[in-house]
Amino acid sequence: MDNSAIQRVAQALDLIYGTDTPFEQRKEAERVCEQLKEERDAPMYGIHLASAQSGLSPMARHYGLQLIEHALRHRWSGSAHSLGSGKKLTMDDGAQLRERLWELIINSCQAGSGEPQYIREKLVSVMVMLIIRMWPSRRWTDLSTQLMQLYGMSSSHQEELTNGIVGALLPKSVVSELYPNGYRMTTDMGPITQVSTGKGSKKAMVILLEPGNEDGWLLRWAMHASEVAQRMVAQGSQASDQDEALLVMLLNTISTFMDWAPVKALVVIQIVQRVANVLRVPSDLVRQHAASCLEIISRRNSAVGEDRDIILLQFAQENSGAVVAAMMQAYATTLPSAVDDMWQDSADALAVAKSLAQVCVSLVTLHWARKKCGENVLPNPGLLLELLMALSKDARYTVASLALMCWSTIIKHDTLCKVPVVISAFSTLTEHTTTSLFNVCRSAHLISEAMHGAQGIDMGINEDEVEQFDSLAELRTFLSSEIRNRLLGIVRGTCNIDPTGFIGWILPSLLPVFEQPLTDASGNRDIGQVSIVEAAFMIVDTILSTLDDYEQHALEESDMDAQTQVQAARVPCYQLCRQVVGFACDDPQLITRQLQTLPSFSFLLRPAAMDSDEARNLLFKVLQKCTSFLKFPLDAPRVRELRQVARRATATLVRIATAIPDSLMLIYPDLAQLVQSSIADAEVADTVKCYLSEFQLTLIAGATCSVPQRKELAVPIVQPITETLREFAPAFQSVQDFVSFLGLPTLDQAHAIGGSSAILGDAKAALEAARRNRHRLTHILSTLQICLNRTLDGHHHSGQNLAAVWGDYAGDLVPPILLLIRCLHALWNPAHWEHLPWHSAQAKNGLFGLLEMSHAERSSIIGVSGQKDSADASNEQHQQQGLGRQDAQLSIEQRGIQYTLTTLRDNAYRCLGRLAHLPELLDSRAIPDLANNFAGCLFADAPSMAPRHWQILLSNVVRPMLETVGNWPGRSAAMQQEQCVAAIAGFVPVWLGPLLSFTTERLDSEWHDLMVRGAVLTSKEDIAALALGGGSHAAEAGAGEAVDDDIVREKMLRDWTRAWSQTLGDLLSTISLWFPEASQIEHELMNSSRINVGTAATGDSGSRTRAGSGNNNSALGAFILGSADIFAGLLTSSLHVLQYKDTQAAKRMLSSLSPIAPSLAMVSLMPMYLPPTPAHASILQTYTSRLQKSLTKSSADACSSVFTWLSTDLVAALTAVLCDTHLIDLQDPALVLLGDLVFYSASIATRMPTHWTFRNSSGAADQPATATASSDGAAPAIVPVGDPGLVFRQTVLHSLAPVLQRSGIASGEAEQTIVQVCLEPEKEPAVQ
């Protein structure tokens, strides 16, 4: 063996793994290492390199093992003796390798060896490869002895190596070892014998028995574990630590096989019973591992057939359920009452209890109650049910939760829920469920108090359980969601089985709950009673909802018996509902739960039941209950909680209106009077009144009535809104009028005379009038936004769409909203400030302060709360200096104006976006010159608008506009697409083209400035760290204020970029090139399932697949395809997004381009061929007619503008993505899109049938592409005059030149690869 070769390899490895190694040296070092693999003595070189005595680096030792692995994988012959020459490895070579590898394994197990993990893993892997090739044979009969040698060593690595060798070996080649008398096929060449198989005889190799291992290792380990367990049980507390360690090691080794060992083998060796018996050992550690092993086995499934339930039967049926009995005995030791005597650590007892509960979950959900099982496969499930009942009653919620999951599954199973023994358990289960629900609610209340600082509270939860959660909030969520939902699921399932019996059983226990006081004898709040009432509300809600679903199903199935049962349950339900609605308390949390329960009363208040006085009285009581919570004194000590209760009350009214609109219409006059009295009540907050209007319109939208009736009913609600907007419209005519409307001149005057205390007479009245007007406008616009959001959703079949009603008011709503938006935008333009009616420079500065971001908005952007940075402090000081630092009243007035501006902006944007659902929006008679007015809103003061406002504008106005214009529910079907396109053509071009140009230019400039400054945002964690003044960037900046400002600016820019990417994606998703005749030409041209002309790359041929799924406005897509400027602007803007250093925006853009770019490439290539028949010409004309304006400059051009965009601009943009370190996560999707472009575009030429012919610019036969030198002496440009496939390949290579140069790939090699793809499109090219 040449020692110099060892040194050369070691040096080469140092170069390979060096961080600063030049590219050429790294390539040469890799060549040296690859050459050594082909040497005859490569395995011996590997042994020497891998030896710890070599003194080489761990990387070199790992490479030595790779040499051995390569030789075994590629050069193993298996012959008994040397062949005399050549590089093949024989059994003699294998025997030598075995001895040396075994030495390495033993040395790695020595104490203090410090062997790295990855070397141990590779060593195990190589040894396994050798075992598979050599063992068992006459040359290797002592593997059992060798494994036992490892098994008995005291090193910490022996278990890993033993499990690794055996566990990795068996799945691959010797599964038969798991059976008794585990015979193995030898690797020796021996005489052929005849072996009887039952179906005749077949030839087989000589089968040898490994001495000392006739039964197989798994059975031997299981038997050994049973013997050690029996000895430890007999010795009790005197059991040795050595036995405990040995038993744990045995269980760990057995567990290694449980995931994949054949199920039949596990049954034959009775592994379930043997492991279950180990649960009796009085050792925390042993019981934990035994329970974990049973958990693994319980998850196993036999595929199909008669053995499908074999695992379940092993646990619950064999030996009269001995395994379940052992589990019950082990579980009893984990109960709190027995833990102190039986366990050293109560946390270990909890872990074992959870493992046993998880075993039950697997047995029930995967086996006994699996979905496709229509029979009860357990003749006697009593023991299993008894264990489940005990687990569900466990006071430790993490244990009980698993048992509750089992019961929920059983109850929902159509067969098991009818088994007598299961039914008999339901009554006990339900009684326990209600008690548990009370306890869960109580614990959740107590946790909330502890979270708010209460001390010395007993939450009623096991301490070990509390430690398993990261926080009290997480524990409360676990109780309030997972546990509570499972308990209510059991209530729901039990009620569904026998509604009448369940109601009769539970009613006596629920009715007294609502009559008990919520305070104790001392007058303090009784947490226990509050929890009981809250749980009772939940149970009532669940029962009534279940009965409603049960009744609807019975009506659908015409099940008279079920309907009779429901009818019998109504009478006690009325009694229960009267108790619920009559319950009174002042606890906001209980009131909220009570309000959440009221919508479930719909079960009793359907129109068919409204003939009875009882139903009508109940409905009135429900409405009165809701409205009673609407008003509250604004100076109340708990005003915030009361406001939330009022909001919950209006939400409850909306839910009731959605559920039973026809029932409410029967009492509409009285209902309207009730609502109007609340609206007129001064103690009802304006925010609440907005939602009352929403309730009324929701009712009108859902009721069964004609359109004229809806319009008549909606007039009293909508008309006040339009009248108020009309009243305030003069204030929106100019920015000066709007500033006066806000009251800024009066504030300016107050500052000039020394504060609000000096304001008298007309000035004070003006200030109050401005405040009232701001309040009215804010309220009316909020009401409009809430009502539009509820009743103008744009869905075709929505039961709550009032488009016919809102359409009559479009002319009254849209113009003032546009004027308002224009005034709001004008405020951001300093050019307007000189003409505003103020008298002092401080007032101007004050207005500037009003337009800055608030502290809450700034904190929201930064991603932290509760922090007030120096920038915010300076802003506040700046505002105080501008509007009177000493006058608190002026400061309040200033904040009111700031709130008004923010609210008006958000609501005006959302209202306009919703109103876009109306076809009347484009009716010039209703709204004259809408396109120019909307364009004026966008661009009049566009340069002064901040990125934050553009992001909001895109999300709330532009995207809804593009989604709905021309895509109106119920109207587009009646209108021809040509009419929709014509309507779009009169509105969209005025502003969409300029928007594409302006936004792209502005974003280019903003991102350029950001890159010059240096981007600071890379992750949410960085944002938080920088906002708190930490991080390297903060240290470099030296000023927290400057860093925070940079964070805010960059975050706003990224949000704007992402909103713009979504907008462009929506536009691309409207484009569809498919039409019915397309499938014919697709099939003929492509003849490949991977290529579909005019559809998405992943779509089926002939399917209407569009680019993405964000927008289905086909009329807008048709318009875009027919508009050259907009289509070109859209394609250009999409590529600019790929250049910005924002992964999320670029990723969304790539996903939008991926479906459409290959289709555009193919369709743009088709005009370059002469169609052979008139039919083909007609189809081709249909394609090109859609894109005539966008694709081609003239019909005679050989290449289209889109073809140039695809082959030059898009490829260049993708190349830039591949080279950009900021967008490293996008390399895979960029490569996929680039590959699709090359494959699709070039394949059309090579797959074209012979009766299609090329045509160049003059229509002549095919000519080669030519390269012409440009006037400035630059590289020759590709002039497409011939084969478009060749042109495309050359253009792609030209665009890829920078990437090829950086990666060291010759352009000729890349071109050869591309040509191979093009000439053999059905073969996947090898990755170079």
Side-chain angles (χ1 to χ4, degrees):
M1 186 168 56
D2 187 0
N3 290 329
S4 62
I6 299 291
Q7 295 301 321
R8 287 198 304 273
V9 170
Q11 294 173 1
L13 290 170
D14 291 338
L15 290 174
I16 291 174
Y17 293 108
T19 57
D20 55 351
T21 303
F23 177 79
E24 294 299 333
Q25 292 186 18
R26 192 186 304 276
K27 287 288 186 182
E28 179 62 23
E30 291 176 351
R31 187 184 63 78
V32 171
C33 292
E34 289 299 318
Q35 285 181 348
L36 186 60
K37 290 183 180 180
E38 305 304 323
E39 293 288 335
R40 172 68 181 85
D41 295 331
M44 293 299 105
Y45 281 119
I47 289 291
H48 183 79
L49 286 169
S51 174
Q53 287 74 20
S54 65
L56 298 175
S57 65
M59 293 298 185
R61 296 177 58 210
H62 188 271
Y63 172 74
L65 294 174
Q66 287 181 322
L67 286 177
I68 304 172
E69 183 181 40
H70 182 272
L72 290 174
R73 191 182 301 279
H74 299 287
R75 292 162 52 186
W76 179 260
S77 69
S79 58
H81 303 289
S82 174
L83 300 178
S85 63
K87 299 180 180 180
K88 295 293 185 181
L89 295 183
T90 64
M91 295 292 285
D92 292 335
D93 298 322
Q96 188 176 2
L97 286 174
R98 180 194 64 185
E99 299 302 326
R100 301 298 298 274
L101 285 173
W102 191 254
E103 291 178 8
L104 294 178
I105 291 177
I106 294 298
N107 292 334
S108 70
C109 290
Q110 300 298 329
S113 66
E115 194 73 275
Q117 176 73 19
Y118 61 90
I119 291 183
R120 295 202 306 269
E121 291 177 352
K122 178 59 72 173
L123 185 58
V124 168
S125 174
V126 174
M127 191 65 180
V128 167
M129 292 184 66
L130 190 61
I131 291 173
I132 292 174
R133 285 156 177 77
M134 290 189 63
W135 175 81
S137 67
R138 294 185 180 89
R139 296 176 179 272
W140 196 350
T141 60
D142 59 346
L143 178 61
S144 301
T145 304
Q146 291 175 313
L147 292 180
M148 287 303 296
Q149 180 183 357
L150 286 177
Y151 188 58
M153 293 182 68
S154 60
S155 169
S156 60
H157 303 318
Q158 86 286 1
E159 177 186 339
E160 169 193 347
L161 289 170
T162 304
N163 293 348
I165 290 176
V166 181
L169 173 65
L170 294 180
K172 297 179 180 178
S173 64
V174 265
V175 178
S176 60
E177 181 178 358
L178 295 176
Y179 294 90
N181 302 321
Y183 299 114
R184 298 144 183 95
M185 188 172 293
T186 181
T187 55
D188 280 346
M189 302 297 291
I192 303 299
T193 60
Q194 297 290 329
V195 179
S196 176
T197 62
K199 295 183 179 179
S201 299
K202 65 177 183 179
K203 293 182 179 180
M205 303 297 292
V206 173
I207 296 177
L208 297 179
L209 175 67
E210 181 195 2
N213 191 27
E214 292 81 0
D215 295 328
W217 274 98
L218 184 57
L219 179 57
R220 292 176 60 185
W221 284 329
M223 295 175 64
H224 192 180
S226 298
E227 294 172 0
V228 176
Q230 291 177 2
R231 184 166 63 246
M232 293 185 68
V233 170
Q235 294 174 352
S237 59
Q238 303 301 320
S240 65
D241 294 340
Q242 291 80 1
D243 279 347
E244 181 184 57
L246 178 61
L247 188 51
V248 168
M249 186 175 12
L250 284 167
L251 290 172
N252 285 336
T253 305
I254 292 172
S255 298
T256 306
F257 299 90
M258 294 303 100
D259 274 331
W260 52 265
V263 173
K264 288 186 177 180
L266 301 181
V267 173
V268 170
I269 64 178
Q270 298 181 336
I271 194 69
V272 177
Q273 292 88 334
R274 296 178 187 276
V275 175
N277 288 333
V278 178
L279 289 171
R280 298 183 295 114
V281 174
S283 164
D284 297 8
L285 198 59
V286 170
R287 285 182 286 203
Q288 277 186 272
H289 286 80
S292 177
C293 188
L294 288 177
E295 185 179 342
I296 297 173
I297 300 172
S298 66
R299 293 196 299 261
R300 295 295 306 277
N301 264 328
S302 184
V304 293
E306 60 183 7
D307 297 329
R308 179 64 178 82
D309 302 302
I310 194 170
I311 290 293
L312 175 63
L313 296 176
Q314 286 292 305
F315 275 89
Q317 207 67 35
E318 295 295 324
N319 299 323
S320 301
V323 175
V324 174
M327 291 171 58
M328 291 181 63
Q329 182 180 357
Y331 168 70
T333 65
T334 69
L335 293 175
S337 58
V339 165
D340 293 339
D341 297 331
M342 304 291 294
W343 294 79
Q344 297 178 0
D345 190 344
S346 59
D348 293 337
L350 176 61
V352 170
K354 290 172 62 176
S355 294
L356 295 175
Q358 189 60 56
V359 171
C360 294
V361 170
S362 299
L363 293 178
V364 172
T365 59
L366 299 180
H367 301 280
W368 191 31
R370 63 183 184 274
K371 292 182 178 180
K372 296 184 179 180
C373 182
E375 59 179 351
N376 175 27
V377 297
L378 279 182
N380 184 19
L383 280 177
L384 180 59
L385 293 176
E386 185 179 347
L387 177 57
L388 286 176
M389 188 65 71
L391 289 168
S392 64
K393 293 181 179 181
D394 198 312
R396 296 165 296 186
Y397 291 115
T398 52
V399 178
S401 173
L402 299 171
L404 294 174
M405 182 193 302
C406 296
W407 284 112
S408 297
T409 305
I410 294 171
I411 290 175
K412 295 176 183 178
H413 197 274
D414 294 337
T415 301
L416 298 186
C417 68
K418 301 174 184 177
V419 175
V421 66
V422 175
I423 294 176
S424 64
F426 281 163
S427 59
T428 304
L429 174 66
T430 309
E431 182 178 355
H432 166 69
T433 300
T434 54
T435 304
S436 296
L437 195 56
F438 297 154
N439 294 333
V440 167
C441 293
R442 179 180 180 276
S443 297
H445 277 283
L446 293 173
I447 291 174
S448 298
E449 293 196 1
M451 292 173 60
H452 287 85
Q455 301 294 328
I457 293 180
D458 181 10
M459 296 180 292
I461 301 178
N462 184 275
E463 293 181 359
D464 295 321
E465 273 197 311
V466 176
E467 294 177 358
Q468 294 184 3
F469 295 89
D470 295 334
S471 64
L472 289 178
E474 184 180 349
L475 175 58
R476 185 181 61 179
T477 301
F478 171 72
L479 295 177
S480 301
S481 58
E482 184 173 330
I483 297 292
R484 190 181 67 190
N485 291 341
R486 287 178 179 174
L487 289 168
L488 293 175
I490 293 175
V491 173
R492 184 178 297 107
T494 309
C495 179
N496 209 28
I497 294 173
D498 182 15
T500 305
F502 180 77
I503 294 296
W505 170 82
I506 202 171
L507 191 64
S509 61
L510 281 179
L511 290 177
V513 168
F514 302 108
E515 299 174 354
Q516 300 298 322
L518 299 180
T519 56
D520 57 20
S522 303
N524 298 322
R525 184 169 178 258
D526 188 343
I527 295 294
Q529 187 59 34
V530 170
S531 304
I532 292 175
V533 174
E534 182 182 13
F537 281 140
M538 296 179 190
I539 294 174
V540 172
D541 188 11
T542 302
I543 292 173
L544 296 179
S545 301
T546 304
L547 291 175
D548 195 10
D549 295 338
Y550 189 89
E551 183 181 42
Q552 297 303 316
H553 180 73
L555 292 173
E556 292 174 1
E557 300 294 330
S558 299
D559 189 342
M560 299 305 298
D561 293 338
Q563 294 180 38
T564 303
Q565 277 195 335
V566 173
Q567 194 63 30
R570 284 181 178 275
V571 176
C573 284
Y574 276 117
Q575 182 182 3
L576 183 61
C577 291
R578 286 195 299 270
Q579 289 287 98
V580 171
V581 77
F583 178 79
C585 70
D586 59 356
D587 187 312
Q589 186 171 351
L590 267 188
I591 295 174
T592 299
R593 181 62 62 187
Q594 183 183 23
L595 289 170
Q596 291 174 337
T597 307
L598 297 182
S600 63
F601 289 13
S602 302
F603 161 64
L604 302 171
L605 303 175
R606 300 289 179 191
M610 293 303 293
D611 293 336
S612 68
D613 293 338
E614 192 166 20
R616 282 177 172 268
N617 293 334
L618 180 61
L619 181 55
F620 272 114
K621 288 181 180 180
V622 169
L623 297 175
Q624 290 171 351
K625 190 69 175 180
C626 292
T627 55
S628 67
F629 294 121
L630 299 181
K631 58 182 180 180
F632 52 87
L634 296 179
D635 57 351
R638 305 169 68 182
V639 64
R640 184 175 181 179
E641 293 180 345
L642 295 175
R643 184 179 290 113
Q644 292 175 347
V645 168
R647 177 66 189 97
R648 171 57 61 185
T650 57
T652 300
L653 288 172
V654 172
R655 288 181 60 191
I656 293 173
T658 304
I660 51 171
D662 291 331
S663 298
L664 291 173
M665 289 302 293
L666 297 175
I667 59 170
Y668 188 79
D670 297 330
L671 176 63
Q673 183 178 359
L674 182 64
V675 171
Q676 289 303 318
S677 63
S678 298
I679 293 177
D681 195 328
E683 292 188 1
V684 177
D686 286 335
T687 53
V688 175
K689 295 176 182 178
C690 298
Y691 293 104
L692 286 176
S693 299
E694 176 195 18
F695 161 62
Q696 284 186 282
L697 287 179
T698 303
L699 172 58
I700 296 171
T704 305
C705 57
S706 63
V707 172
Q709 288 176 315
R710 294 182 197 276
K711 292 183 178 181
E712 180 182 357
L713 294 171
V715 167
I717 306 166
V718 180
Q719 194 166 354
I721 298 175
T722 60
E723 291 175 351
T724 304
L725 289 176
R726 190 181 303 114
E727 175 188 348
F728 291 143
F732 308 151
Q733 298 301 320
S734 69
V735 66
Q736 291 85 358
D737 295 333
F738 185 61
V739 167
S740 298
F741 170 83
L742 293 174
L744 281 174
T746 309
L747 285 180
D748 180 33
Q749 180 183 359
H751 177 80
I753 63 177
S756 62
S757 59
I759 299 179
L760 300 172
D762 295 339
K764 187 172 184 180
L767 189 64
E768 293 177 354
R771 188 184 305 119
R772 286 195 303 270
N773 287 337
R774 292 197 309 266
H775 185 75
R776 285 182 60 201
L777 180 59
T778 303
H779 165 65
I780 210 68
L781 208 58
S782 298
T783 302
L784 178 62
Q785 184 267 325
I786 292 168
C787 294
L788 287 174
N789 190 59
R790 172 66 63 176
T791 60
L792 192 59
D793 54 8
H795 297 300
H796 291 264
H797 304 291
S798 173
Q800 297 180 355
N801 195 317
L802 288 180
V805 175
W806 289 112
D808 293 345
Y809 297 95
D812 297 321
L813 296 173
V814 175
I817 290 176
L818 288 175
L819 290 174
L820 174 60
I821 292 175
R822 191 158 186 169
C823 287
L824 290 169
H825 290 178
L827 284 180
W828 290 90
N829 190 350
H832 295 291
W833 295 0
E834 296 299 331
H835 308 288
L836 296 180
W838 44 40
H839 301 83
S840 62
Q842 290 88 346
K844 181 193 295 187
N845 292 334
L847 176 62
F848 179 76
L850 289 175
L851 300 178
E852 287 297 308
M853 285 180 292
S854 66
H855 168 64
E857 190 171 16
R858 189 181 185 87
S859 298
S860 176
I861 290 175
I862 294 177
V864 292
S865 60
Q867 301 287 335
K868 182 173 289 190
D869 56 27
S870 56
D872 285 321
S874 63
N875 282 339
E876 290 185 2
Q877 183 179 4
H878 193 56
Q879 295 170 18
Q880 290 172 356
Q881 290 174 353
L883 293 177
R885 177 167 42 192
Q886 305 299 327
D887 198 318
Q889 181 64 34
L890 293 182
S891 177
I892 293 174
E893 200 73 21
Q894 175 183 320
R895 289 197 295 270
I897 296 176
Q898 187 176 19
Y899 170 78
T900 299
L901 290 173
T902 303
T903 305
L904 291 179
R905 179 199 65 196
D906 294 343
N907 287 332
Y909 284 173
R910 293 190 181 103
C911 289
L912 190 58
R914 281 291 174 179
L915 289 169
H917 290 89
L918 300 174
E920 291 79 4
L921 191 73
L922 302 186
D923 187 349
S924 59
R925 294 168 298 180
I927 310 175
D929 204 16
L930 173 66
N932 290 323
N933 289 331
F934 183 62
C937 285
L938 293 177
F939 304 115
D941 300 284
S944 304
M945 292 172 59
R948 174 169 49 104
H949 301 99
W950 277 111
Q951 181 260 327
I952 299 172
L953 191 64
L954 289 173
S955 301
N956 294 332
V957 180
V958 175
R959 291 186 65 201
M961 283 276 190
L962 295 174
E963 180 182 358
T964 57
V965 170
N967 189 33
W968 301 293
R971 305 290 183 92
S972 299
M975 299 173 64
Q976 297 293 328
Q977 186 173 20
E978 291 78 6
Q979 294 176 328
C980 293
V981 173
I984 293 172
F987 173 66
V988 172
V990 178
W991 58 270
L992 182 55
L995 180 65
L996 291 169
S997 302
F998 169 81
T999 307
T1000 300
E1001 293 175 5
R1002 178 80 178 272
L1003 284 174
D1004 286 348
S1005 175
E1006 294 278 352
W1007 276 101
H1008 177 266
D1009 294 343
L1010 175 63
M1011 291 298 104
V1012 171
R1013 296 194 310 268
V1016 295
L1017 298 186
T1018 56
S1019 66
K1020 294 181 178 179
E1021 291 76 13
D1022 290 340
I1023 295 174
L1026 288 169
L1028 294 172
S1032 58
H1033 295 287
E1036 294 170 3
E1041 178 179 348
V1043 172
D1044 287 344
D1045 286 340
D1046 287 341
I1047 290 174
V1048 173
R1049 292 173 61 188
E1050 183 175 341
K1051 180 64 167 60
M1052 289 192 300
L1053 177 59
R1054 290 184 182 276
D1055 288 343
W1056 182 16
T1057 305
R1058 292 167 186 176
W1060 182 237
S1061 177
Q1062 288 180 321
T1063 304
L1064 296 178
D1066 289 347
L1067 289 172
L1068 288 172
S1069 67
T1070 65
I1071 297 174
S1072 174
L1073 303 178
W1074 188 90
F1075 61 98
E1077 294 80 5
S1079 57
Q1080 176 183 349
I1081 198 169
E1082 288 175 9
H1083 178 73
E1084 182 165 351
L1085 290 183
M1086 297 297 100
N1087 192 25
S1088 171
S1089 60
R1090 286 188 57 186
I1091 307 174
N1092 301 310
V1093 177
T1095 62
T1098 57
D1100 297 331
S1101 180
S1103 62
R1104 290 181 181 263
T1105 308
R1106 296 187 178 89
S1109 58
N1111 194 335
N1112 60 354
N1113 193 343
S1114 58
L1116 178 61
F1119 165 75
I1120 292 174
L1121 288 177
S1123 175
D1125 294 338
I1126 291 181
F1127 190 43
L1130 174 60
L1131 296 180
T1132 301
S1133 299
S1134 64
L1135 296 190
H1136 280 254
V1137 173
L1138 296 180
Q1139 298 173 11
Y1140 307 142
K1141 314 304 181 184
D1142 188 86
T1143 302
Q1144 184 174 332
K1147 183 177 181 180
R1148 184 179 291 110
M1149 203 71 262
L1150 278 176
S1151 65
S1152 299
L1153 287 170
S1154 295
I1156 194 173
S1159 299
L1160 285 175
M1162 290 185 293
V1163 177
S1164 64
L1165 283 168
M1166 288 173 58
M1168 304 177 195
Y1169 298 88
L1170 294 173
T1173 66
H1176 289 97
S1178 175
I1179 297 174
L1180 184 57
Q1181 179 62 28
T1182 304
Y1183 267 128
T1184 55
S1185 64
R1186 296 187 172 201
L1187 303 171
Q1188 192 68 31
K1189 296 181 180 179
S1190 302
L1191 283 176
T1192 60
K1193 301 173 184 176
S1194 68
S1195 58
D1197 283 341
C1199 284
S1200 67
S1201 58
V1202 171
F1203 178 80
T1204 305
W1205 175 82
L1206 288 163
S1207 57
T1208 304
D1209 300 340
L1210 178 57
V1211 172
L1214 295 175
T1215 302
V1217 171
L1218 295 176
C1219 299
D1220 196 331
T1221 57
H1222 292 87
L1223 304 176
I1224 192 170
D1225 292 338
L1226 302 181
Q1227 289 184 351
D1228 286 346
L1231 285 172
V1232 170
L1233 178 53
L1234 186 61
D1236 283 345
L1237 283 175
V1238 174
F1239 181 83
Y1240 278 61
S1241 302
S1243 292
I1244 191 171
T1246 57
R1247 305 291 296 191
M1248 191 68 68
T1250 56
H1251 59 285
W1252 286 73
T1253 57
F1254 299 138
R1255 58 180 172 188
N1256 56 25
S1257 58
S1258 61
D1262 182 27
Q1263 299 176 1
T1266 60
T1268 59
S1270 60
S1271 59
D1272 59 358
I1278 302 299
V1279 179
V1281 297
D1283 177 4
L1286 176 61
V1287 171
F1288 187 84
R1289 293 195 297 273
Q1290 292 176 337
T1291 308
V1292 169
L1293 288 172
H1294 184 74
S1295 301
L1296 285 175
V1299 176
L1300 299 177
Q1301 184 176 4
R1302 294 185 188 183
S1303 60
I1305 301 175
S1307 59
E1309 297 176 0
E1311 182 175 10
Q1312 183 179 3
T1313 301
I1314 294 177
V1315 170
Q1316 180 182 4
V1317 173
C1318 301
L1319 296 180
E1320 299 180 282
E1322 294 187 1
K1323 295 182 179 180
E1324 294 289 344
V1327 178
Q1328 300 295 328

